Amino acid sequence: MSLVKLNARSGGGIIGQLKNQVLTTAVTINSDSGTGIATGLTLAITPSATSSKIFIIPNLAYKIDTDGRGFGIKMFRTVGGSATEIFDANYKWLGIGVAEGGSAERNRATWHHLDTPNTTSEITYTVNALSESGNAIYLQPNT
């Protein structure tokens, strides 16, 4: 996941900070309810002004073994211990499984969100995932 802090400037914006996380730990997503299961993508950034915008670019490698199964994500912003859901792609199917008897679907899902947090406190962004009907989806798969 990458975070880019954009600062306002007369005539356009400037990049004020860039943070990046590389995740290699395999995670199994097998829930279709609530806030989902943590993907391991979590990154903190501290805006320098209340007018700062944070451009979030998560990227997940995934593997789906079962026909017709997909997954969605939820993104959260936590400031001072209080979490707020800021993006929900639940069941907008970031990935779809293969036909019965076929080989597993392996791919990458990338999306983005521009957040306007209106704070100068540290912000932690996290990404959770949900799977269709609770079937297993593998993120950062080792096999």
Side-chain angles (χ1 to χ4, degrees):
M1 177 165 59
S2 296
L3 299 178
V4 179
K5 183 181 72 162
L6 306 172
N7 295 329
R9 180 178 222 185
S10 177
I14 61 169
I15 295 177
Q17 193 176 155
L18 176 65
K19 295 231 174 169
N20 189 56
Q21 174 193 25
V22 176
L23 184 63
T24 58
T25 304
V27 176
T28 300
I29 305 299
N30 56 3
S31 173
D32 64 354
S33 63
T35 59
I37 294 174
T39 63
L41 289 176
T42 182
L43 203 53
I45 194 165
T46 303
S48 56
T50 57
S51 60
S52 294
K53 296 183 185 313
I54 310 296
F55 190 53
I56 307 157
I57 312 166
N59 183 320
L60 287 168
Y62 66 86
K63 175 182 163 191
I64 302 173
D65 289 330
T66 307
D67 175 39
R69 304 299 181 221
F71 69 99
I73 61 98
K74 291 181 181 251
M75 204 166 359
F76 298 88
R77 172 197 328 122
T78 302
V79 179
S82 178
T84 303
E85 186 176 315
I86 59 169
F87 183 83
D88 181 355
N90 188 18
Y91 306 119
K92 291 188 175 121
W93 307 129
L94 294 174
I96 300 295
V98 297
E100 188 173 327
S103 58
E105 165 83 22
R106 289 179 176 270
N107 212 330
R108 296 193 78 75
T110 301
W111 63 99
H112 62 274
H113 176 75
L114 183 62
D115 191 33
T116 308
N118 193 30
T119 186
T120 56
S121 297
E122 182 181 71
I123 304 164
T124 301
Y125 290 97
T126 56
V127 176
N128 289 3
L130 297 104
S131 65
E132 178 184 8
S133 302
N135 292 291
I137 307 297
Y138 308 98
L139 304 180
Q140 288 73 244
N142 294 326
T143 61

